Amino acid sequence: MSVVQLDIDEGIATVTLNRPEVLNAFTDEMEAGLVEVFDRTDADDDVRAVILTGAGRGFCAGMDVSDGDAAFVNWRTSATAPEGTTYEVPGESLPMRRDGGGRVVLRVYSSHKPVIAAVNGPATGVGATMLLPCDVRLASQDARFGFVFNRRGVVPESCSSWFLPRVVGMQTALEWVLTGRVFPAAEALEQGLVRSVHAPGDLLDAARALAREIADNTAPVSASLARRMLWRMQEAAHPMTAHQVETLAINLRGISADLQEGFTAFLEKRSPVFPGRVGTDLPDIFRSMPEPAFDPAVLEEYHGEA
């Protein structure tokens, strides 16, 4: 069985971390599998929403540290080229190992489909940080969360220094990171990390109900644009940027067959059947805001010290 499973049912993709015997601890294979799965859900126009969850009693217990304190050394060297000077991943040759959790988070962030996390159990380390780019997070009463990096002598990763303060505010983010403590689902709910807490047996049903509401009622192209607009505007320096992007988007959507269907269905008091497809009809409204590329020069500067 793959360490990342993908199941698609009536427009809803369920992505399951599948190493239940070790609480779905994160590995290089899981990193690659998650990136591949989100490539597949983006490419499948029948997928309207994605649910991310874990198999067994855990969501993800963080990086696989079954080798003890050698785990991080193994992580740094496992992708080393034969001459030991660069780290090879598809399309990159770098002087240091690139953060794999960050690659996953950036891929989820750029998803064309709405992403719902169903946190079924412990989510610590990268298991907590990979949740942050999800659009809505639901948790089981059994879930536990922890940004435990300082307690292991490392630092936050997976772009969490950008995401976490935006999701829960700076004071809460700093408390959780600086203490590194593990906290219950009730605290995650109180501070806004999760939207709701459910009995373990009800969690996936609640996530599917939310995904179903999106899939059955919204235009896929509009939903894709909307999630990207809200996330990308977190980096805008002035609301004028949002005004420009929204003006472009609403004009392009205003001449679409989706808009005609949406208003017609509303007036006829029926459910809409939107013809637009993300794969062919998604406009590039962020052309004036290109996403930055990963810059190896930053790593080169410190190569000798790492």
Side-chain angles (χ1 to χ4, degrees), residues 153-167:
V154 288
V155 293
E157 40 71 270
S158 299
C159 310
S160 56
S161 57
W162 189 92
F163 279 100
L164 188 58
R166 286 169 166 80
V167 172

Side-chain angles (χ1 to χ4, degrees), residues 204-258:
L204 272 179
D205 285 344
R208 290 190 185 107
L210 179 58
R212 186 84 271 143
E213 186 175 1
I214 295 170
D216 290 347
N217 298 292
T218 66
V221 174
S222 292
S224 183
L225 287 173
R227 82 169 297 272
R228 300 293 294 130
M229 289 163 69
L230 267 65
W231 277 118
R232 290 297 302 271
M233 289 309 105
Q234 297 298 299
E235 61 198 74
H238 192 279
M240 180 57 76
T241 305
H243 178 53
Q244 291 175 171
V245 167
E246 291 165 5
T247 296
L248 175 60
I250 200 167
N251 274 276
L252 292 174
R253 291 272 75 202
I255 59 173
S256 70
D258 280 346

Side-chain angles (χ1 to χ4, degrees), residues 53-65:
T53 193
R57 64 185 184 87
F59 177 75
C60 175
M63 179 181 176
D64 189 333
V65 292

Side-chain angles (χ1 to χ4, degrees), residues 19 22 48 57 59 61 66 78 89 121 145 155 167 203 206-208 224 234 236 241 263 275 277 287 291:
R19 300 185 72 216
V22 288
R48 304 286 295 275
R57 64 185 184 87
F59 177 75
S66 54
S78 63
V89 297
F145 303 84
V155 293
V167 172
L203 175 65
R208 290 190 185 107
S224 183
Q234 297 298 299
T241 305
F263 277 89
R277 310 281 280 180
R287 197 174 303 164
E291 294 191 9

Side-chain angles (χ1 to χ4, degrees), residues 62-239:
M63 179 181 176
D64 189 333
V65 292
S66 54
D67 293 332
D69 60 3
F72 191 76
V73 174
N74 293 338
W75 176 84
R76 290 193 68 235
T77 58
S78 63
T80 309
E83 68 274 15
T85 56
T86 59
Y87 295 85
E88 303 288 345
V89 297
E92 294 178 341
S93 180
L94 303 172
M96 294 183 195
R97 179 79 184 272
R98 184 171 171 182
D99 172 28
R103 293 182 69 240
V104 170
V105 161
L106 288 169
R107 185 62 192 85
V108 177
Y109 173 75
S110 64
S111 171
H112 290 318
K113 313 297 173 66
V115 183
I116 299 165
V119 189
N120 55 301
T124 57
V126 67
T129 53
M130 78 165 71
L131 297 169
L132 299 176
C134 296
D135 303 311
V136 184
R137 292 164 294 277
L138 288 67
S140 162
Q141 293 167 345
D142 293 340
R144 299 290 183 271
F145 303 84
F147 300 89
V148 297
F149 309 102
N150 289 180
R151 294 195 179 200
R152 308 293 183 265
V154 288
V155 293
E157 40 71 270
S158 299
C159 310
S160 56
S161 57
W162 189 92
F163 279 100
L164 188 58
R166 286 169 166 80
V167 172
V168 300
M170 184 61 77
Q171 180 169 259
T172 298
L174 282 167
E175 178 185 342
W176 285 347
V177 167
L178 292 176
T179 64
R181 63 180 172 83
V182 175
F183 53 92
E187 183 174 342
L189 176 64
E190 181 182 4
Q191 299 300 332
L193 180 61
V194 300
R195 165 264 212 184
S196 52
V197 175
H198 304 267
D202 297 335
L203 175 65
L204 272 179
D205 285 344
R208 290 190 185 107
L210 179 58
R212 186 84 271 143
E213 186 175 1
I214 295 170
D216 290 347
N217 298 292
T218 66
V221 174
S222 292
S224 183
L225 287 173
R227 82 169 297 272
R228 300 293 294 130
M229 289 163 69
L230 267 65
W231 277 118
R232 290 297 302 271
M233 289 309 105
Q234 297 298 299
E235 61 198 74
H238 192 279

